[in-house]
Amino acid sequence: MSKENQNPEANRREHHRLAFEAWLSLSPVPADRASDEKVLRTHLHHALRPLRWLLLDGQHTLVRDAMLRQNPSIAPFLRMIEQKLEFLADDVFGVQAPESLPQSMEMSASGMSFEWHQPLPNGTVWVASVIPADLSRALKLPTRILRCERIDNGVYHVAARFVALSEMEIDALAAWIVTLQARALKASWGDEDEADYLRKVSLLSIRASLDR
């Protein structure tokens, strides 16, 4: 487990930042739980499971893409498998998106920044429920507030760091971020760009598997 993400690879993971639209809600963590990462993880054990799903989904994507390059004719079979997996994932982790509009935010494997409608005291710990606009899953992320600055009347810019996440969960977030970045840029890729993406996600997925 990481205390403030002490893995020497953590700084490299932070270089990949994703700007995206998501629905965000915050739930306060009582001080007695926030002060002890083991207690916090026990409390959030079930809520953190979607991060494991992110890792498995990333590994599935790597294997699927490799198989399609070798044998494009299996595409219909792989689509059927993916539909089945999505059906099961929606049944276990699926959430209904709120009726309100999503908001803009940024995320790396170590933390996130966003705008909020009220001040959040520095050092307090919250469970952030993040539902990306293109993902019907709620990512539950324990976060510690680092900075909260007023930028407008009733609007605050907040920077927060994830706490109590395992190395596997951090790598799963990093692989997800790299994958979404790659999807946005893939149309303009050359062979070297795709090879670099595959290398990054493969390393993150392999290391996360070893950290379990």
Side-chain angles (χ1 to χ4, degrees), residues 103-135:
Q103 67 180 80
S104 298
M105 58 187 303
E106 286 193 1
M107 183 184 292
S108 74
S110 62
M112 62 184 187
S113 60
F114 55 93
E115 291 183 359
W116 202 240
H117 54 272
Q118 65 185 50
L120 301 174
N122 290 350
T124 55
V125 177
W126 303 72
V127 176
S129 177
V130 180
I131 307 175
D134 62 346
L135 182 72

mmCIF file of all heavy atoms in Angstrom, residues 103-135:
data_model
loop_
_atom_site.group_PDB
_atom_site.id
_atom_site.type_symbol
_atom_site.label_atom_id
_atom_site.label_comp_id
_atom_site.label_asym_id
_atom_site.label_seq_id
_atom_site.Cartn_x
_atom_site.Cartn_y
_atom_site.Cartn_z
ATOM 1 N N GLN A 103 -19.315 18.095 -15.187
ATOM 2 C CA GLN A 103 -18.395 19.219 -15.064
ATOM 3 C C GLN A 103 -17.014 18.837 -15.571
ATOM 4 O O GLN A 103 -16.673 17.664 -15.678
ATOM 5 C CB GLN A 103 -18.298 19.672 -13.607
ATOM 6 C CG GLN A 103 -17.644 18.656 -12.681
ATOM 7 C CD GLN A 103 -17.588 19.169 -11.250
ATOM 8 O OE1 GLN A 103 -18.585 19.116 -10.523
ATOM 9 N NE2 GLN A 103 -16.431 19.668 -10.846
ATOM 10 N N SER A 104 -16.218 19.853 -15.890
ATOM 11 C CA SER A 104 -14.848 19.621 -16.345
ATOM 12 C C SER A 104 -13.953 19.368 -15.146
ATOM 13 O O SER A 104 -14.095 19.999 -14.090
ATOM 14 C CB SER A 104 -14.335 20.833 -17.126
ATOM 15 O OG SER A 104 -15.115 21.041 -18.279
ATOM 16 N N MET A 105 -13.012 18.439 -15.303
ATOM 17 C CA MET A 105 -12.035 18.175 -14.250
ATOM 18 C C MET A 105 -10.784 17.588 -14.875
ATOM 19 O O MET A 105 -10.768 17.221 -16.055
ATOM 20 C CB MET A 105 -12.614 17.232 -13.192
ATOM 21 C CG MET A 105 -13.093 15.899 -13.705
ATOM 22 S SD MET A 105 -13.939 14.927 -12.427
ATOM 23 C CE MET A 105 -12.680 14.818 -11.163
ATOM 24 N N GLU A 106 -9.721 17.522 -14.102
ATOM 25 C CA GLU A 106 -8.467 16.919 -14.536
ATOM 26 C C GLU A 106 -8.069 15.854 -13.532
ATOM 27 O O GLU A 106 -8.303 15.996 -12.325
ATOM 28 C CB GLU A 106 -7.346 17.955 -14.655
ATOM 29 C CG GLU A 106 -7.461 18.858 -15.854
ATOM 30 C CD GLU A 106 -6.189 19.649 -16.094
ATOM 31 O OE1 GLU A 106 -5.212 19.477 -15.329
ATOM 32 O OE2 GLU A 106 -6.168 20.452 -17.044
ATOM 33 N N MET A 107 -7.434 14.782 -14.034
ATOM 34 C CA MET A 107 -7.033 13.700 -13.147
ATOM 35 C C MET A 107 -5.712 13.111 -13.613
ATOM 36 O O MET A 107 -5.448 13.002 -14.814
ATOM 37 C CB MET A 107 -8.110 12.609 -13.118
ATOM 38 C CG MET A 107 -7.814 11.465 -12.149
ATOM 39 S SD MET A 107 -9.073 10.135 -12.235
ATOM 40 C CE MET A 107 -10.512 10.985 -11.574
ATOM 41 N N SER A 108 -4.880 12.765 -12.658
ATOM 42 C CA SER A 108 -3.699 11.942 -12.909
ATOM 43 C C SER A 108 -3.835 10.709 -12.023
ATOM 44 O O SER A 108 -4.831 10.550 -11.314
ATOM 45 C CB SER A 108 -2.412 12.707 -12.593
ATOM 46 O OG SER A 108 -2.245 12.828 -11.187
ATOM 47 N N ALA A 109 -2.830 9.847 -12.036
ATOM 48 C CA ALA A 109 -2.901 8.655 -11.200
ATOM 49 C C ALA A 109 -2.755 8.983 -9.721
ATOM 50 O O ALA A 109 -3.033 8.136 -8.866
ATOM 51 C CB ALA A 109 -1.820 7.657 -11.612
ATOM 52 N N SER A 110 -2.348 10.211 -9.403
ATOM 53 C CA SER A 110 -2.110 10.562 -8.001
ATOM 54 C C SER A 110 -3.104 11.553 -7.427
ATOM 55 O O SER A 110 -3.144 11.762 -6.216
ATOM 56 C CB SER A 110 -0.695 11.131 -7.834
ATOM 57 O OG SER A 110 -0.567 12.318 -8.595
ATOM 58 N N GLY A 111 -3.910 12.172 -8.271
ATOM 59 C CA GLY A 111 -4.837 13.160 -7.736
ATOM 60 C C GLY A 111 -5.688 13.790 -8.817
ATOM 61 O O GLY A 111 -5.665 13.373 -9.980
ATOM 62 N N MET A 112 -6.435 14.817 -8.426
ATOM 63 C CA MET A 112 -7.318 15.465 -9.389
ATOM 64 C C MET A 112 -7.551 16.921 -8.993
ATOM 65 O O MET A 112 -7.275 17.333 -7.857
ATOM 66 C CB MET A 112 -8.663 14.734 -9.462
ATOM 67 C CG MET A 112 -9.449 14.728 -8.172
ATOM 68 S SD MET A 112 -10.980 13.736 -8.348
ATOM 69 C CE MET A 112 -11.767 14.087 -6.770
ATOM 70 N N SER A 113 -8.043 17.699 -9.945
ATOM 71 C CA SER A 113 -8.405 19.092 -9.692
ATOM 72 C C SER A 113 -9.770 19.348 -10.311
ATOM 73 O O SER A 113 -10.123 18.757 -11.342
ATOM 74 C CB SER A 113 -7.362 20.049 -10.267
ATOM 75 O OG SER A 113 -7.235 19.881 -11.663
ATOM 76 N N PHE A 114 -10.527 20.222 -9.675
ATOM 77 C CA PHE A 114 -11.898 20.461 -10.117
ATOM 78 C C PHE A 114 -12.401 21.750 -9.491
ATOM 79 O O PHE A 114 -11.772 22.315 -8.582
ATOM 80 C CB PHE A 114 -12.809 19.296 -9.708
ATOM 81 C CG PHE A 114 -12.770 18.978 -8.225
ATOM 82 C CD1 PHE A 114 -13.691 19.549 -7.350
ATOM 83 C CD2 PHE A 114 -11.814 18.127 -7.708
ATOM 84 C CE1 PHE A 114 -13.658 19.263 -5.993
ATOM 85 C CE2 PHE A 114 -11.772 17.831 -6.350
ATOM 86 C CZ PHE A 114 -12.694 18.396 -5.492
ATOM 87 N N GLU A 115 -13.535 22.221 -9.977
ATOM 88 C CA GLU A 115 -14.195 23.386 -9.387
ATOM 89 C C GLU A 115 -15.324 22.902 -8.492
ATOM 90 O O GLU A 115 -15.999 21.916 -8.806
ATOM 91 C CB GLU A 115 -14.734 24.311 -10.479
ATOM 92 C CG GLU A 115 -13.622 24.987 -11.262
ATOM 93 C CD GLU A 115 -14.145 25.958 -12.307
ATOM 94 O OE1 GLU A 115 -15.393 26.097 -12.427
ATOM 95 O OE2 GLU A 115 -13.322 26.585 -12.992
ATOM 96 N N TRP A 116 -15.510 23.623 -7.374
ATOM 97 C CA TRP A 116 -16.542 23.223 -6.413
ATOM 98 C C TRP A 116 -17.303 24.445 -5.940
ATOM 99 O O TRP A 116 -16.810 25.573 -6.010
ATOM 100 C CB TRP A 116 -15.894 22.478 -5.246
ATOM 101 C CG TRP A 116 -16.843 21.589 -4.491
ATOM 102 C CD1 TRP A 116 -17.164 21.679 -3.169
ATOM 103 C CD2 TRP A 116 -17.577 20.470 -5.004
ATOM 104 N NE1 TRP A 116 -18.062 20.692 -2.824
ATOM 105 C CE2 TRP A 116 -18.335 19.931 -3.941
ATOM 106 C CE3 TRP A 116 -17.676 19.880 -6.253
ATOM 107 C CZ2 TRP A 116 -19.183 18.835 -4.092
ATOM 108 C CZ3 TRP A 116 -18.513 18.791 -6.417
ATOM 109 C CH2 TRP A 116 -19.243 18.284 -5.349
ATOM 110 N N HIS A 117 -18.513 24.197 -5.430
ATOM 111 C CA HIS A 117 -19.424 25.289 -5.093
ATOM 112 C C HIS A 117 -19.295 25.757 -3.649
ATOM 113 O O HIS A 117 -20.038 26.634 -3.223
ATOM 114 C CB HIS A 117 -20.873 24.850 -5.355
ATOM 115 C CG HIS A 117 -21.223 23.571 -4.651
ATOM 116 N ND1 HIS A 117 -21.004 22.330 -5.233
ATOM 117 C CD2 HIS A 117 -21.759 23.338 -3.436
ATOM 118 C CE1 HIS A 117 -21.401 21.388 -4.400
ATOM 119 N NE2 HIS A 117 -21.859 21.964 -3.299
ATOM 120 N N GLN A 118 -18.373 25.184 -2.898
ATOM 121 C CA GLN A 118 -18.164 25.621 -1.517
ATOM 122 C C GLN A 118 -16.719 25.337 -1.140
ATOM 123 O O GLN A 118 -16.060 24.484 -1.746
ATOM 124 C CB GLN A 118 -19.110 24.892 -0.561
ATOM 125 C CG GLN A 118 -18.858 23.392 -0.469
ATOM 126 C CD GLN A 118 -19.886 22.696 0.398
ATOM 127 O OE1 GLN A 118 -21.085 22.886 0.224
ATOM 128 N NE2 GLN A 118 -19.432 21.873 1.332
ATOM 129 N N PRO A 119 -16.194 26.055 -0.139
ATOM 130 C CA PRO A 119 -14.794 25.813 0.254
ATOM 131 C C PRO A 119 -14.642 24.462 0.940
ATOM 132 O O PRO A 119 -15.518 24.025 1.695
ATOM 133 C CB PRO A 119 -14.506 26.972 1.220
ATOM 134 C CG PRO A 119 -15.849 27.394 1.742
ATOM 135 C CD PRO A 119 -16.813 27.158 0.624
ATOM 136 N N LEU A 120 -13.529 23.791 0.656
ATOM 137 C CA LEU A 120 -13.196 22.510 1.287
ATOM 138 C C LEU A 120 -11.911 22.708 2.083
ATOM 139 O O LEU A 120 -10.880 23.062 1.514
ATOM 140 C CB LEU A 120 -13.003 21.423 0.220
ATOM 141 C CG LEU A 120 -14.206 21.148 -0.695
ATOM 142 C CD1 LEU A 120 -13.833 20.163 -1.792
ATOM 143 C CD2 LEU A 120 -15.387 20.628 0.117
ATOM 144 N N PRO A 121 -11.954 22.497 3.391
ATOM 145 C CA PRO A 121 -10.777 22.766 4.225
ATOM 146 C C PRO A 121 -9.569 21.919 3.821
ATOM 147 O O PRO A 121 -9.702 20.715 3.566
ATOM 148 C CB PRO A 121 -11.260 22.408 5.643
ATOM 149 C CG PRO A 121 -12.756 22.506 5.575
ATOM 150 C CD PRO A 121 -13.124 22.080 4.192
ATOM 151 N N ASN A 122 -8.408 22.553 3.762
ATOM 152 C CA ASN A 122 -7.181 21.826 3.456
ATOM 153 C C ASN A 122 -6.943 20.717 4.484
ATOM 154 O O ASN A 122 -7.158 20.905 5.686
ATOM 155 C CB ASN A 122 -5.977 22.774 3.452
ATOM 156 C CG ASN A 122 -6.006 23.730 2.275
ATOM 157 O OD1 ASN A 122 -6.808 23.577 1.356
ATOM 158 N ND2 ASN A 122 -5.141 24.730 2.300
ATOM 159 N N GLY A 123 -6.513 19.553 3.994
ATOM 160 C CA GLY A 123 -6.195 18.439 4.884
ATOM 161 C C GLY A 123 -7.357 17.509 5.166
ATOM 162 O O GLY A 123 -7.144 16.406 5.673
ATOM 163 N N THR A 124 -8.581 17.927 4.853
ATOM 164 C CA THR A 124 -9.720 17.038 5.091
ATOM 165 C C THR A 124 -9.767 15.944 4.022
ATOM 166 O O THR A 124 -9.268 16.115 2.912
ATOM 167 C CB THR A 124 -11.053 17.816 5.099
ATOM 168 O OG1 THR A 124 -11.174 18.547 3.875
ATOM 169 C CG2 THR A 124 -11.089 18.777 6.265
ATOM 170 N N VAL A 125 -10.363 14.820 4.374
ATOM 171 C CA VAL A 125 -10.433 13.671 3.468
ATOM 172 C C VAL A 125 -11.893 13.433 3.072
ATOM 173 O O VAL A 125 -12.785 13.450 3.921
ATOM 174 C CB VAL A 125 -9.838 12.402 4.124
ATOM 175 C CG1 VAL A 125 -9.991 11.192 3.205
ATOM 176 C CG2 VAL A 125 -8.365 12.621 4.456
ATOM 177 N N TRP A 126 -12.074 13.221 1.775
ATOM 178 C CA TRP A 126 -13.400 12.995 1.217
ATOM 179 C C TRP A 126 -13.339 11.792 0.291
ATOM 180 O O TRP A 126 -12.293 11.495 -0.289
ATOM 181 C CB TRP A 126 -13.869 14.212 0.410
ATOM 182 C CG TRP A 126 -13.887 15.489 1.183
ATOM 183 C CD1 TRP A 126 -12.806 16.215 1.604
ATOM 184 C CD2 TRP A 126 -15.032 16.195 1.648
ATOM 185 N NE1 TRP A 126 -13.200 17.322 2.300
ATOM 186 C CE2 TRP A 126 -14.570 17.348 2.341
ATOM 187 C CE3 TRP A 126 -16.408 15.978 1.538
ATOM 188 C CZ2 TRP A 126 -15.439 18.258 2.916
ATOM 189 C CZ3 TRP A 126 -17.269 16.891 2.109
ATOM 190 C CH2 TRP A 126 -16.791 18.016 2.792
ATOM 191 N N VAL A 127 -14.465 11.115 0.140
ATOM 192 C CA VAL A 127 -14.570 10.088 -0.897
ATOM 193 C C VAL A 127 -15.212 10.751 -2.113
ATOM 194 O O VAL A 127 -16.366 11.197 -2.050
ATOM 195 C CB VAL A 127 -15.405 8.887 -0.440
ATOM 196 C CG1 VAL A 127 -15.563 7.896 -1.601
ATOM 197 C CG2 VAL A 127 -14.747 8.198 0.736
ATOM 198 N N ALA A 128 -14.446 10.843 -3.188
ATOM 199 C CA ALA A 128 -14.946 11.437 -4.420
ATOM 200 C C ALA A 128 -15.571 10.343 -5.277
ATOM 201 O O ALA A 128 -14.929 9.334 -5.574
ATOM 202 C CB ALA A 128 -13.809 12.115 -5.172
ATOM 203 N N SER A 129 -16.814 10.533 -5.657
ATOM 204 C CA SER A 129 -17.482 9.631 -6.593
ATOM 205 C C SER A 129 -17.439 10.293 -7.961
ATOM 206 O O SER A 129 -18.077 11.327 -8.179
ATOM 207 C CB SER A 129 -18.926 9.374 -6.160
ATOM 208 O OG SER A 129 -19.592 8.556 -7.104
ATOM 209 N N VAL A 130 -16.659 9.708 -8.865
ATOM 210 C CA VAL A 130 -16.443 10.283 -10.189
ATOM 211 C C VAL A 130 -17.086 9.363 -11.230
ATOM 212 O O VAL A 130 -16.729 8.191 -11.333
ATOM 213 C CB VAL A 130 -14.932 10.442 -10.486
ATOM 214 C CG1 VAL A 130 -14.726 11.052 -11.872
ATOM 215 C CG2 VAL A 130 -14.264 11.294 -9.416
ATOM 216 N N ILE A 131 -18.029 9.906 -11.992
ATOM 217 C CA ILE A 131 -18.667 9.143 -13.068
ATOM 218 C C ILE A 131 -18.287 9.820 -14.389
ATOM 219 O O ILE A 131 -18.894 10.819 -14.772
ATOM 220 C CB ILE A 131 -20.199 9.103 -12.934
ATOM 221 C CG1 ILE A 131 -20.614 8.617 -11.544
ATOM 222 C CG2 ILE A 131 -20.806 8.208 -14.008
ATOM 223 C CD1 ILE A 131 -22.114 8.659 -11.308
ATOM 224 N N PRO A 132 -17.272 9.316 -15.083
ATOM 225 C CA PRO A 132 -16.912 9.909 -16.371
ATOM 226 C C PRO A 132 -18.091 9.849 -17.341
ATOM 227 O O PRO A 132 -18.877 8.902 -17.334
ATOM 228 C CB PRO A 132 -15.747 9.033 -16.857
ATOM 229 C CG PRO A 132 -15.169 8.451 -15.602
ATOM 230 C CD PRO A 132 -16.360 8.226 -14.710
ATOM 231 N N ALA A 133 -18.211 10.881 -18.181
ATOM 232 C CA ALA A 133 -19.368 10.978 -19.071
ATOM 233 C C ALA A 133 -19.457 9.814 -20.046
ATOM 234 O O ALA A 133 -20.548 9.488 -20.517
ATOM 235 C CB ALA A 133 -19.323 12.306 -19.829
ATOM 236 N N ASP A 134 -18.313 9.181 -20.371
ATOM 237 C CA ASP A 134 -18.343 8.065 -21.320
ATOM 238 C C ASP A 134 -18.150 6.719 -20.633
ATOM 239 O O ASP A 134 -17.798 5.737 -21.272
ATOM 240 C CB ASP A 134 -17.258 8.250 -22.394
ATOM 241 C CG ASP A 134 -15.863 8.271 -21.811
ATOM 242 O OD1 ASP A 134 -15.744 8.406 -20.565
ATOM 243 O OD2 ASP A 134 -14.888 8.143 -22.578
ATOM 244 N N LEU A 135 -18.374 6.670 -19.315
ATOM 245 C CA LEU A 135 -18.177 5.422 -18.576
ATOM 246 C C LEU A 135 -19.284 5.298 -17.537
ATOM 247 O O LEU A 135 -19.399 6.136 -16.648
ATOM 248 C CB LEU A 135 -16.813 5.429 -17.881
ATOM 249 C CG LEU A 135 -16.418 4.179 -17.094
ATOM 250 C CD1 LEU A 135 -16.090 3.037 -18.050
ATOM 251 C CD2 LEU A 135 -15.195 4.465 -16.214
#
